[in-house]
Amino acid sequence: MHAIIETGGKQYKVAAGDTIFVEKLDAEAGTSYTFNKVIALLHGEEATFGKPLVDGATVSATIEGDGKAKKVIIYKYKAKKGFHKKKGHRQPFTRVKIDTINA
């Protein structure tokens, strides 16, 4: 069984036992977390799509920890003007292990 969930403005296709990296959540490592925004449930040939969400469906997960992604370098310059600007960014994320999909 698979589910399509929404969190952090993005959609993820998950199954029980999967580990995914989502936008940073306000939860501590080792605690359980419930995703309420379930867009679709996929079970073999059957599929249930919500309008916009599937009623009563949730996905239970365990928070494994937080981290930061690899650094992205932002470099700006203007030709022939001597203007150079360099900046880096590391996006924070939360690592989540999917436990069960509750239909």
Side-chain angles (χ1 to χ4, degrees), residues 35-54:
F35 295 101
N36 295 322
K37 291 186 176 181
V38 179
I39 297 171
L41 292 173
L42 312 166
H43 191 355
E45 296 292 320
E46 298 178 24
T48 305
F49 298 98
K51 297 180 183 177
L53 303 174
V54 178

Side-chain angles (χ1 to χ4, degrees), residues 4-81:
I4 298 176
I5 61 171
E6 181 182 345
T7 180
K10 298 175 181 71
Q11 297 176 1
Y12 300 91
K13 182 179 178 183
V14 298
D18 287 354
T19 300
I20 59 172
F21 296 90
V22 299
E23 293 292 319
K24 186 154 172 54
L25 301 172
D26 289 331
E28 294 184 18
T31 60
S32 61
Y33 191 85
T34 303
F35 295 101
N36 295 322
K37 291 186 176 181
V38 179
I39 297 171
L41 292 173
L42 312 166
H43 191 355
E45 296 292 320
E46 298 178 24
T48 305
F49 298 98
K51 297 180 183 177
L53 303 174
V54 178
D55 292 330
T58 60
V59 174
S60 300
T62 303
I63 306 294
E64 290 187 341
D66 295 330
K68 288 186 176 182
K70 292 180 79 172
K71 184 175 276 194
V72 176
I73 302 297
I74 300 98
Y75 189 76
K76 300 178 182 180
Y77 82 102
K78 304 265 186 213
K80 302 176 195 165
K81 300 296 178 192

